[in-house]
């Protein structure tokens, strides 16, 4: 949908010279930002730039803030001067908020219909039960969900459905301003496109102003009218999206745009086979009646060969079986079929018999913060990997391992919470390469990172691959990343391989309709 210019109206939201922050902690300085009625404005920047802090300040979600200067005016009222009781009347009614991860923002103990109605009941207590249910059906229809989904719990919905529920919660009171904090970060390309189109349609149809917080400049380019670029708590550049993206003036904005150009893999794989799977499948038990199990096939009849120095990309929508396939290959869940690791048949081995092979196949998970033990320091996390691999007496290797992933040795004593997202992912990669494996399974290793850090991590992975001849099994919903770093690609749909081949051939001339739809969903 082409961007329609917004008339030059009086600002709905007007942040003027705002300087505030935590006592002896993070602060934003001299922030000025305007959003007009019906306008879509983007706030972009790397992790830690202050984007979410500014959004939370609009709704006064931080209880103890040191305010040095400035104000936040909404329809002429200074939000910072309002009492807690007054701001509650605005939250969810006039200004709504969509959090980054819907599963963590939804209550797992309540059905989604009840959660959607919660804000409506709070702000419109006089509505009858019949009127509430009518509003619920109406808002579910607006976000493209069937009314019967109201009786389900969040865990029973897909990622895209949960995000639509979060949007339904936010628009049920017809707010004037919608704050969207990274609403598509964890979603695959096709669902991401659907969500952004939904937000755009709602904005146009109901004249809702949108403040989009994102690190994905590709998403921002086709959605927002104007953009503000944040760096270290300051706005370093702002203007119309077209002019800022085409002729950025600030070096930091230029750096963000340059990060969209991903490094390309330069080395060719060898002919040495390191992994092969034949007729590979994953089945989950669904029900049990008198000790009988009904199995549902999640992954079915997958065949591929992975060579030393090669990167095989695995793509598909959420629920297609990508991660289940990886967990089966790693022998973390039960599988069927044949698996050959470094020429050895490992399918029939017990967990104890397979243990020596774990040195040769390691994994890097999507969310480094969730996969690292929060009670262990960096040196202990890597030392544990060495110990389990039988190298407990080689603690001096830890410094060399940190050097190889570009981390300073002074970070050895840090806990994961004290590191940035990119640093945590480097620790995860350091742990994976500690035992010098032949294969690394990368399960969405860059999806939780902003674009500039994505580029840094990809450069690191390519450098390590060239240095150690690593073979990668690269799972991602980011097709740009797959195109840049993979030799071959395998497309999964509902647990089956619908297309595979050289990444250039598949991306330039996709034969399967599903692959064509995935590629068309790219921003």
């Amino acid at each position: 949908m082409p961007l329609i210019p917004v008339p030059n109206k009086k600002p709905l939201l007007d942040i003027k010279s705002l300087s505030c922050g935590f006592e002896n902690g993070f602060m934003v300085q001299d922030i000025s930002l305007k959003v007009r009625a019906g306008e879509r404005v983007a706030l972009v920047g790397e992790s830690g730039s202050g984007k979410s802090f500014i959004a939370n300040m609009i709704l006064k979600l931080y209880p103890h803030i040191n305010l040095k200067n400035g104000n936040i005016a909404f329809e002429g009222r200074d939000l910072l001067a309002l009492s807690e009781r007054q701001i509650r009347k605005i939250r969810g009614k006039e200004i709504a908020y969509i959090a980054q991860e819907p599963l963590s923002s939804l209550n797992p103990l309540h059905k989604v219909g009840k959660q959607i109605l919660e804000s409506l009941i709070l702000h419109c207590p006089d509505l009858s039960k019949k009127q509430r249910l009518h509003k619920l059906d109406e808002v579910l229809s607006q976000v493209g969900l069937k009314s019967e989904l109201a009786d389900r719990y969040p865990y029973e919905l897909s990622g895209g459905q949960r995000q639509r529920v979060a949007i339904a919660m936010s628009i049920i009171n017809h707010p004037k301003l919608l704050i969207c904090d990274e609403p598509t970060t964890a979603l695959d390309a096709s669902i991401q496109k659907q969500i952004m189109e939904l937000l755009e349609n709602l904005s146009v149809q109901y004249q809702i102003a949108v403040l989009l917080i994102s690190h994905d400049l590709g998403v921002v380019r086709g959605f927002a009218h104007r953009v503000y670029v944040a760096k270290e708590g300051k706005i370093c550049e702002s203007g119309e999206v077209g002019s800022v993206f085409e002729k950025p003036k600030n070096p930091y904005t230029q750096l963000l745009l340059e990060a969209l150009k991903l490094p390309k893999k330069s080395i060719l794989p060898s002919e040495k086979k390191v992994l092969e799977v034949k007729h590979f499948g994953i089945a989950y038990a669904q029900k049990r009646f008198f000790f009988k199990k009904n199995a549902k096939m999640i992954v079915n009849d997958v065949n591929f060969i992975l060579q030393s120095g090669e990167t095989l990309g695995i793509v598909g929508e959420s629920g297609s079986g990508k991660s289940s396939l990886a967990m089966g290959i790693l022998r973390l869940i039960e599988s069927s079929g044949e698996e050959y690791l470094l020429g050895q048949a490992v399918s029939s081995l017990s967990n104890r018999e397979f243990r020596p092979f774990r040195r040769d196949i390691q994994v890097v998970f999507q969310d480094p913060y969730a996969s690292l033990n929060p009670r262990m320091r960096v040196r202990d996390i890597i030392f544990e990997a060495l110990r389990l691999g039988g190298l407990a007496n080689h603690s001096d290797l830890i410094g060399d391992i940190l050097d190889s992933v570009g981390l300073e040795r002074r970070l050895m004593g840090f806990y994961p919470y004290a590191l940035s997202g990119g640093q945590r992912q480097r620790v995860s990669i350091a742990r994976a390469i500690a035992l010098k494996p032949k294969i690394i399974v990368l399960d969405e290793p860059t999806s939780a990172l902003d674009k500039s850090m994505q580029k840094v991590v990809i450069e690191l992975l390519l450098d390590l691959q060239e240095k150690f001849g690593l073979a990668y099994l690269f799972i991602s919903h980011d097709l740009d990343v797959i195109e840049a770093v993979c030799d071959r690609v395998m497309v999964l749909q509902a647990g089956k391989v619908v297309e595979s081949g050289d990444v250039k051939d598949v991306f330039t001339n996709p034969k399967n309709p599903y692959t064509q739809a995935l590629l068309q969903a790219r921003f």
Side-chain angles (χ1 to χ4, degrees):
M1 182 184 293
L3 286 173
I4 301 171
V6 174
N8 191 14
K9 301 176 182 176
K10 186 178 179 181
L12 177 71
L13 177 74
D14 192 358
I15 303 177
K16 292 181 180 177
S17 305
L18 180 67
S19 296
C20 62
F22 302 108
E23 195 69 40
N24 300 320
F26 180 81
M27 293 194 70
V28 295
Q29 300 175 45
D30 199 28
I31 300 295
S32 293
L33 183 150
K34 294 180 181 180
V35 183
R36 296 176 297 219
E39 185 181 29
R40 298 188 295 278
V41 174
L43 180 58
V44 303
E46 295 176 296
S47 299
S49 60
K51 307 186 302 292
S52 295
F53 181 91
I54 295 169
N56 290 331
M57 280 301 299
I58 294 170
L59 290 170
K60 291 190 70 175
L61 296 177
Y62 295 125
H64 305 292
I65 289 293
N66 181 16
L67 179 62
K68 289 191 173 182
N69 188 47
N71 61 75
I72 302 175
F74 180 74
E75 293 189 318
R77 293 171 291 177
D78 186 1
L79 298 179
L80 299 179
L82 298 182
S83 65
E84 184 61 27
R85 185 174 182 180
Q86 290 171 319
I87 197 70
R88 280 179 192 163
K89 293 180 180 179
I90 293 176
R91 289 184 195 141
K93 183 172 175 61
E94 297 181 57
I95 304 176
Y97 182 85
I98 301 174
Q100 178 173 347
E101 176 47 66
L103 191 58
S104 61
S105 62
L106 295 173
N107 191 324
L109 302 178
H110 294 296
K111 294 178 179 179
V112 296
K114 180 180 179 181
Q115 297 188 61
I116 292 172
L117 286 174
E118 187 176 9
S119 180
L120 180 68
I121 294 170
L122 183 66
H123 292 287
C124 304
D126 297 331
L127 291 178
S128 66
K129 184 177 180 180
K130 184 178 180 180
Q131 289 173 316
R132 292 172 186 172
L133 292 177
H134 176 72
K135 288 281 288 184
L136 177 60
D137 288 340
E138 183 181 62
V139 77
L140 286 173
S141 176
Q142 287 172 353
V143 298
L145 292 175
K146 296 179 181 178
S147 55
E148 55 261 31
L149 293 181
D151 288 324
R152 294 191 185 178
Y153 292 94
Y155 71 87
E156 296 180 291
L157 305 180
S158 68
Q161 288 173 328
R162 287 195 291 263
Q163 194 63 286
R164 288 172 184 267
V165 168
I167 294 170
M169 291 171 65
S170 66
I171 67 166
I172 195 166
N173 288 310
H174 297 293
K176 297 172 183 175
L177 173 64
L178 187 59
I179 300 173
C180 305
D181 192 354
E182 302 277 8
T184 60
T185 299
L187 304 177
D188 54 63
S190 57
I191 301 299
Q192 189 178 79
K193 186 175 182 180
Q194 291 174 22
I195 294 299
M196 294 312 299
E197 287 177 347
L198 171 61
L199 289 171
E200 187 172 351
N201 291 334
L202 290 171
S203 172
V204 173
Q205 187 175 356
Y206 300 104
Q207 279 298 287
I208 300 173
V210 179
L211 178 60
L212 173 68
I213 295 168
S214 181
H215 65 251
D216 192 334
L217 301 187
V219 169
V220 168
R221 190 191 299 269
F223 178 82
H225 296 101
R226 292 187 301 113
V227 60
Y228 290 83
V229 183
K231 179 189 178 185
E232 297 176 353
K234 297 179 180 179
I235 300 295
C236 64
E237 188 166 358
S238 64
E240 299 292 326
V241 167
S243 60
V244 171
F245 277 40
E246 289 169 16
K247 295 181 180 179
K249 297 175 183 176
N250 191 281
Y252 179 69
T253 310
Q254 295 168 6
L255 180 69
L256 290 180
L257 290 166
E258 190 64 29
L260 295 175
K261 301 173 184 176
L262 295 173
K264 302 284 185 180
K265 185 184 176 189
S266 57
I267 65 166
L268 295 173
S270 71
E271 295 182 359
K272 182 181 178 183
K273 190 191 302 182
V274 292
L275 177 67
E276 182 178 7
V277 296
K278 297 179 179 179
H279 310 296
F280 201 77
I282 308 289
Y284 288 141
Q286 285 188 302
K287 296 179 181 177
R288 184 180 292 182
F289 294 107
F290 300 105
F291 304 103
K292 292 183 179 180
K293 297 180 181 179
N294 292 333
K296 180 182 179 182
M297 293 300 295
I298 303 298
V299 175
N300 192 20
D301 198 30
V302 172
N303 301 273
F304 69 82
I305 293 173
L306 183 66
Q307 296 170 322
S308 179
E310 183 182 28
T311 304
L312 173 63
I314 302 177
V315 301
E317 294 178 309
S318 298
S320 60
K322 305 187 300 295
S323 294
S324 294
L325 173 62
M327 294 303 101
I329 290 169
L330 289 162
R331 300 291 303 275
L332 297 177
I333 57 176
E334 290 186 17
S335 61
S336 61
E338 302 174 48
E339 180 180 355
Y340 299 89
L341 185 59
L342 303 179
Q344 300 291 316
V346 297
S347 308
S348 59
L349 300 183
S350 66
N351 287 335
R352 186 173 182 178
E353 292 170 329
F354 184 74
R355 194 173 297 164
F357 289 92
R358 294 201 183 278
R359 290 188 58 169
D360 296 310
I361 183 166
Q362 293 290 312
V363 61
V364 176
F365 292 102
Q366 176 176 352
D367 186 351
Y369 194 63
S371 64
L372 299 176
N373 191 327
R375 297 184 177 183
M376 296 176 71
R377 299 177 190 271
V378 169
R379 60 168 173 263
D380 300 321
I381 290 169
I382 299 174
F383 182 77
E384 183 184 39
L386 293 171
R387 181 180 62 81
L388 292 174
L391 299 175
N393 296 323
H394 293 263
S395 56
D396 55 319
L397 289 174
I398 296 174
D400 295 335
I401 294 168
L402 289 180
D403 291 342
S404 67
V405 297
L407 283 175
E408 299 175 41
R409 296 194 178 204
R410 66 179 182 84
L411 298 178
M412 279 190 198
F414 282 47
Y415 288 98
Y417 74 85
L419 304 176
S420 69
Q423 287 173 329
R424 285 195 290 263
Q425 195 61 290
R426 283 170 181 262
V427 172
S428 296
I429 295 170
R431 179 176 62 183
I433 67 167
L435 297 174
K436 297 182 179 179
K438 304 294 187 297
I439 307 160
I440 297 182
V441 178
L442 301 162
D443 191 357
E444 301 276 10
T446 61
S447 66
L449 306 175
D450 53 60
K451 291 297 180 182
S452 55
M453 192 49 62
Q454 267 189 17
K455 186 175 182 178
V456 171
V457 170
I458 288 170
E459 286 174 343
L460 169 63
L461 290 171
L462 292 177
D463 180 59
L464 292 172
Q465 185 174 48
E466 187 172 355
K467 188 181 296 183
F468 301 115
L470 296 169
Y472 291 146
L473 203 60
F474 203 114
I475 298 169
S476 181
H477 66 253
D478 192 328
L479 301 183
D480 293 329
V481 173
I482 292 291
E483 188 175 22
V485 304
C486 294
D487 300 287
R488 293 185 298 120
V489 64
M490 190 165 65
V491 184
L492 280 183
Q493 182 186 24
K496 294 183 178 180
V497 178
V498 296
E499 191 164 355
S500 64
D502 182 85
V503 69
K504 187 176 181 181
D505 295 338
V506 173
F507 276 52
T508 55
N509 186 29
K511 295 179 174 59
N512 189 276
Y514 178 71
T515 310
Q516 293 168 4
L518 285 179
L519 291 167
Q520 287 170 4
R522 284 204 286 184
F523 285 98

